[in-house]
């Protein structure tokens, strides 16, 4: 096997690992975003419950203090107006999301295990990438390795080092032409 073929295969393996790493990082980002949304929903649910508890306390205190029924109804009406107008958005979203949350709670365990699995996969790919030392860490990007493969396939570079040199030269030319 020619040196160019060996270097080309070497670069293709690195490229495949980089693409796998990018997919895993994208999935981790998705899971993190999903987890943050769950926390927000939980917080909204807790606030909704606190509002209801506060209302019940107002009613119980009013009954305990034997406030006139008209005053108690007035206080309740004011509370409901404030509650409905100021916190309407939270209430509507809470009702819509309570169904979704019930389903998500079922999948929470699988969610956490998948997230941990993705983190483990990322670390595994990263360790494997570290074994490919011929390409410096700062050049282990999908774009760079793709260009290096292109140089070797076109016959412009015979070795990995030449391909890296040509890529550096193209980048320098590209930066100076801007």
């Amino acid at each position: 096997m020619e040196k160019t073929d060996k270097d080309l295969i070497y670069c293709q393996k690195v490229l495949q690992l980089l693409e796998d790493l990018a997919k895993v990082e994208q999935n981790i980002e998705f899971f993190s975003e999903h987890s943050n949304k769950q926390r927000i929903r939980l917080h909204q649910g807790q606030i909704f419950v606190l509002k209801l508890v506060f209302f019940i306390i107002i009613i119980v205190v009013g009954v305990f203090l034997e406030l006139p029924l008209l005053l108690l109804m007035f206080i309740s009406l004011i509370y409901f107006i404030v509650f409905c107008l100021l916190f309407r958005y939270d209430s509507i979203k809470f009702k819509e999301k309570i169904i979704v949350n019930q389903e998500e709670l079922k999948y929470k365990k699988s969610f956490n295990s998948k997230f941990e699995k993705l983190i483990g996969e990322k670390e595994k790919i990263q360790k494997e990438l570290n074994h490919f030392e011929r390409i410096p860490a700062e050049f282990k990007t999908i774009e760079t390795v793709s260009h290096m493969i292109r140089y070797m396939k076109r016959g412009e570079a015979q070795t990995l080092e030449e391909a890296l040199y040509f890529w550096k030269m193209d980048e320098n030319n590209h930066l100076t032409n801007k």
Side-chain angles (χ1 to χ4, degrees), residues 24-33 115 118-119 122:
V24 168
E25 287 175 343
Q26 184 179 12
N27 286 337
I28 288 172
E29 186 177 320
F30 168 77
F31 277 108
S32 296
E33 186 177 303
F115 187 74
L118 285 172
I119 296 292
K122 179 182 176 182

Side-chain angles (χ1 to χ4, degrees), residues 155-170:
E156 296 173 7
Q158 302 303 315
T159 65
L160 183 142
E161 290 74 18
E162 285 180 8
L164 187 59
Y165 173 78
F166 287 130
W167 184 84
K168 287 178 186 176
M169 295 302 291
D170 285 347

Side-chain angles (χ1 to χ4, degrees), residues 34 55 178:
H34 185 71
F55 175 71
K178 281 190 174 182

Side-chain angles (χ1 to χ4, degrees), residues 9-10 14 19 24 33 46 48 50 56 62 72 94 109 113 119 125 129 138 145-146 150 162 170 174 176-178:
I9 291 170
Y10 183 89
V14 171
E19 288 172 345
V24 168
E33 186 177 303
Q46 290 170 341
F48 181 76
L50 285 174
I56 292 169
L72 194 55
F94 180 75
K109 286 185 180 179
S113 65
I119 296 292
I125 293 171
L129 265 173
E138 65 266 16
V145 177
S146 296
R150 202 170 306 127
E162 285 180 8
D170 285 347
H174 181 69
T176 56
N177 288 338
K178 281 190 174 182

Side-chain angles (χ1 to χ4, degrees), residues 134-166:
R134 290 179 58 199
I135 300 175
E138 65 266 16
F139 300 113
K140 285 184 184 173
T141 65
I142 292 174
E143 179 188 6
T144 304
V145 177
S146 296
H147 283 291
M148 292 168 58
I149 290 171
R150 202 170 306 127
Y151 293 134
M152 287 189 270
K153 282 185 176 180
R154 288 185 199 158
E156 296 173 7
Q158 302 303 315
T159 65
L160 183 142
E161 290 74 18
E162 285 180 8
L164 187 59
Y165 173 78
F166 287 130

Side-chain angles (χ1 to χ4, degrees), residues 30 52 80 101 104 109 162:
F30 168 77
L52 289 177
F80 272 124
N101 282 343
E104 286 178 358
K109 286 185 180 179
E162 285 180 8

Side-chain angles (χ1 to χ4, degrees), residues 7 21 27 35 52 59 71 75 84 88 95 108 126 150 153:
D7 285 350
L21 184 63
N27 286 337
S35 177
L52 289 177
I59 299 297
L71 181 61
I75 291 171
C84 291
R88 183 172 179 240
K95 289 175 188 174
K108 189 172 184 175
Q126 198 66 50
R150 202 170 306 127
K153 282 185 176 180

